[in-house]
Amino acid sequence: MSESGESTARLNASKSDALREAIEEYWGYDDFRPLQEAAMLSVVEERDSLVVLPTGGGKSLCYQVPALTMEGLAVVVSPLISLMKDQVDALRANGIAAAYLNSTLSWDESREVFDGMRSGALTLLYVAPERLMNSYLLEQLVKTNVSFIAIDEAHCVSMWGHDFRPQYRELKQIREVFPNIALHAYTATATEQVREDIVNQLNLSDPEILVGPFDRPNLSYSVEQINDRIQQIRSVVDRHPDESGIVYCISRKEVENVSNTLNEFGYRALPYHAGLPDDVRSANQDAFIQDQVEIIVATIAFGMGVDKPNVRYVVHAGLPKSLENYQQESGRAGRDNLEAECCLLYSEGDIFSWERILSDQPDAVRQVSMDSIRAILGYCHAYLCRHQQLVAHFGQTLEESCGHHCDVCRGDYELVEDPLVVSQKIISSVYRQDQRFGTSYTAAVLKGSRDKKVLANGHDQLSTYGLLKNESLAAIRNWINQLAAQHYLKKGGEYQLVQITESGWKVLKGELTPRLIQPRVETSAERAQRKSREVQGDAWEGVDQNLFQHLRTLRAEMAEELVLKPYMVFSDETLRGLARHRPSSQENLLQIKGVGQKKCQDYGDRVLAEIDAWCDTHELDQDVDLKQAAARPKPATKSKSANAQAKQAFELFAEGKTESQIADEMGRAISTVNGYLTSYIEQENVTDATPWVDKLIVGRIESAIDEVGCDRLKPIYEQLGEDVPYEQIRIVVACRRQREQEE
Ligand code: ADP
Ligand code: ZN
């Protein structure tokens, strides 16, 4: 390496170190995701860039981290107001000075943001595109030290994208206003045409173009033909008890039906579609995001602007509109990179539903749409690794099949024993029917059906009539579709008549042998067990599931109090880490992925107290498999006494001391002591809250509980006119739950 090459390398290494340190300090993550480091370096080096990463690939960090290591203010253009607020809330929860400017802010709030800009206190500023081009803001920005400009969801600039927004076109002027500031564009859209358009429209100069792998290895794909739709949906949901999932339906009516039926079966589901009043729709969406219901049943209207990372499954209860749509919609599962399941349920009849929906479109548009829908049917019928098929559609190759992250590789199917003979029977029937009939009809002839049409056409006289009489109609139809997917047959014209291709003739002559697949023969119990084992993966290894659930409740409570979304408090991965390693000190808490300095400071005491108390009651070890904990004994100060602290607190409660006396005596925060107290109440089955809460207030809280129940604290808080502190409500609720358990 030349001398200057060497020093560049050294420089890059130190820049990388700075970035890595920032990720660790602020986010509590230990490493970059693929391409993140390169993407961040191009920001730090002030070279324009276009970064294409799939949903969940971690695009936001690509600009958020450099914003921390560089001087000045980073400006982020983002199209959706709701996402802007989410991003800013999440950044602030990590201790990063971020703000946004959009039409929802009051005049005072906007002024505060401008003050922050001027004083240099702000690190990141989110703006809507139309707002950025507003002359007052531009004037202010020109006077500010702007480190770089990031353009999120950059495909909105392209007419070829799926979400063109005319205001994005105005961004062309940014380059002229800020000739010396680097521009960075981010998108998940995979097509070449859109990428080129972004570079041109934004006038990026010699940009570094980074295109990530499109495969989502944490997603497990499967495809099933519908026979009992609700039952099939339920079996996916049942593999993920208490976890969030989305069920997509083609029409509003189906959304309502599926949602109602799921509720009748005792699941908590809410509908979402464009026909609902705005307020109902957004309340349903919020309830889902806040983990108050597990399931949202929706048309494709749902999803934009929803960044919920812990969606554990996406079921399509009908054919999606295209493979691009499928990738986007199913991609809403597992954004947090934990395992998640995508199940596509379809029936041939879905084609007709789409035809009806598209009937008012101009012919050309309808034609293109119908081709896309047929392409996804091809995906269903190909029975090749789903991961390989999906990335191939986007022009990438996966060298190896996925192993066991799709139904095909997992062995949900097996090869038909004599594919050549079965194929020949099918193809010769098509031939004898003069290639003038569709899939179902052909299947009926092969099955030997007494169908009126078959009889009227005299096809019960064909030599192929009843040749496959021992197979089900669905199986025969499926084989016909498989032959079409492999191009031995083709379907043409408005009625999708089945015809024989050149390679089809070769099959008849025995020169080519198709690959035919059938569902593996096993009992449904065997199947269910095998599936749930394989879908779960090992990301739960060592996790105390009960503690995980307990921490999930704590997270929901904290989110309500802090007015944050639960995933902004801690991700599912962080909760699993906590329930696996069960840290006993701040130092060890910081080792858990997703706990940075700020969260450790803000939530540490409370979380540690809950974990301590839980481990005490359930006799679980703490600091399991943590780096330093194994090597050296627990530090003497806080953590050695963590359990002891809970015990000491318990003794003091037993003596009848108040929370604030105990907080003083032990030198702990009230919130920590409050955590000890609820554990104490549970452990000792305390049913009376009056030692800690004024009698009158207990009465008020009790009547509020009678009104709104005690599943969640927030409704009680609101019922009480928001003037009784959460700590007191929590105590009374804990006692009430003990009482109800006794009854
Ligand atoms: P995208 O915008 O590409 O869909 P996000 O930026 O929302 O993805 O990131 C998805 C999730 O992954 C977020 O919860 C984010 O905090 C997390 N994440 C991003 N980068 C990392 C990393 N290097 N290590 C661990 N988690 C990460
Ligand atoms: Zn596979």
Side-chain angles (χ1 to χ4, degrees), residues 292-544:
Q292 288 156 11
V293 296
E294 285 76 33
I295 309 169
I296 191 111
V297 185
T299 58
I300 56 172
F302 177 82
M304 268 303 263
V306 176
D307 250 356
K308 188 175 166 62
N310 58 340
V311 174
R312 296 267 72 86
Y313 59 91
V314 171
V315 180
H316 278 77
L319 272 188
K321 217 172 163 180
S322 66
L323 275 168
E324 283 82 355
N325 275 76
Y326 186 59
Q327 214 223 5
Q328 269 223 333
E329 289 149 22
S330 63
R332 297 193 173 117
R335 291 175 84 115
D336 53 12
N337 263 21
L338 295 179
E339 77 296 332
E341 180 177 359
C342 306
C343 180
L344 168 51
L345 306 174
Y346 76 101
S347 77
E348 308 274 317
D350 293 342
I351 288 255
F352 305 113
S353 309
W354 278 115
E355 256 168 6
R356 261 195 315 278
I357 292 171
L358 295 165
S359 61
D360 56 349
Q361 300 283 322
D363 274 359
V365 175
R366 202 178 60 229
Q367 209 49 55
V368 173
S369 300
M370 291 312 295
D371 286 349
S372 304
I373 292 163
R374 291 201 185 100
I376 185 136
L377 262 184
Y379 165 84
C380 299
H381 292 144
Y383 295 100
L384 299 170
C385 173
R386 311 288 179 191
H387 285 263
Q388 283 181 323
Q389 284 196 68
L390 277 172
V391 302
H393 183 77
F394 296 103
Q396 293 186 340
T397 18
L398 255 191
E399 292 300 333
E400 293 190 8
S401 61
C402 74
H404 57 272
H405 292 296
C406 80
D407 51 352
V408 179
C409 296
R410 204 162 45 212
D412 285 6
Y413 306 95
E414 57 193 11
L415 291 172
V416 168
E417 221 164 84
D418 200 346
L420 182 60
V421 172
V422 175
S423 305
Q424 286 175 332
K425 288 178 179 172
I426 294 171
I427 298 176
S428 53
S429 193
V430 172
Y431 170 65
R432 285 175 210 285
Q433 295 159 211
D434 293 331
Q435 310 189 58
R436 283 176 35 237
F437 294 88
T439 310
S440 296
Y441 185 90
T442 308
V445 172
L446 284 156
K447 171 81 186 164
S449 149
R450 308 297 301 166
D451 183 276
K452 268 199 231 113
K453 264 202 305 192
V454 173
L455 299 182
N457 287 326
H459 282 164
D460 54 338
Q461 301 304 316
L462 293 181
S463 59
T464 53
Y465 181 76
L467 268 188
L468 293 175
K469 62 173 178 295
N470 294 330
E471 309 292 342
S472 71
L473 272 173
I476 304 172
R477 275 203 308 270
N478 195 272
W479 286 328
I480 298 173
N481 288 325
Q482 291 184 39
L483 290 173
Q486 293 169 61
H487 308 292
Y488 296 108
L489 294 173
K490 63 178 185 219
K491 299 188 189 184
E494 195 181 341
Y495 299 105
Q496 295 287 293
L497 304 182
V498 182
Q499 291 165 341
I500 305 170
T501 64
E502 224 169 283
S503 22
W505 290 110
K506 290 191 179 155
V507 173
L508 280 183
K509 288 189 225 147
E511 291 167 13
L512 286 175
T513 304
R515 175 174 171 270
L516 287 186
I517 295 275
Q518 61 192 2
R520 186 167 9 178
V521 185
E522 58 189 341
T523 65
S524 58
E526 280 168 350
R527 190 180 169 86
Q529 204 187 18
R530 187 171 52 80
K531 273 201 160 176
S532 67
R533 200 172 50 235
E534 279 156 1
V535 168
Q536 288 283 330
D538 51 11
W540 282 102
E541 201 171 313
V543 176
D544 184 81

Side-chain angles (χ1 to χ4, degrees), residues 23 27 29 31-33 36 53-61 307 309 335-336 593:
I23 300 193
W27 281 269
Y29 296 155
D31 212 344
F32 301 109
R33 293 241 181 101
Q36 276 185 331
L53 279 177
T55 309
K59 286 183 287 298
S60 342
L61 258 71
D307 250 356
R335 291 175 84 115
D336 53 12
K593 193 163 171 186

Side-chain angles (χ1 to χ4, degrees), residues 616-629:
D616 230 25
T617 328
H618 298 85
E619 297 183 353
L620 288 173
D621 284 345
Q622 289 193 254
D623 300 319
V624 178
D625 284 338
L626 283 173
K627 262 185 261 156
Q628 296 133 16

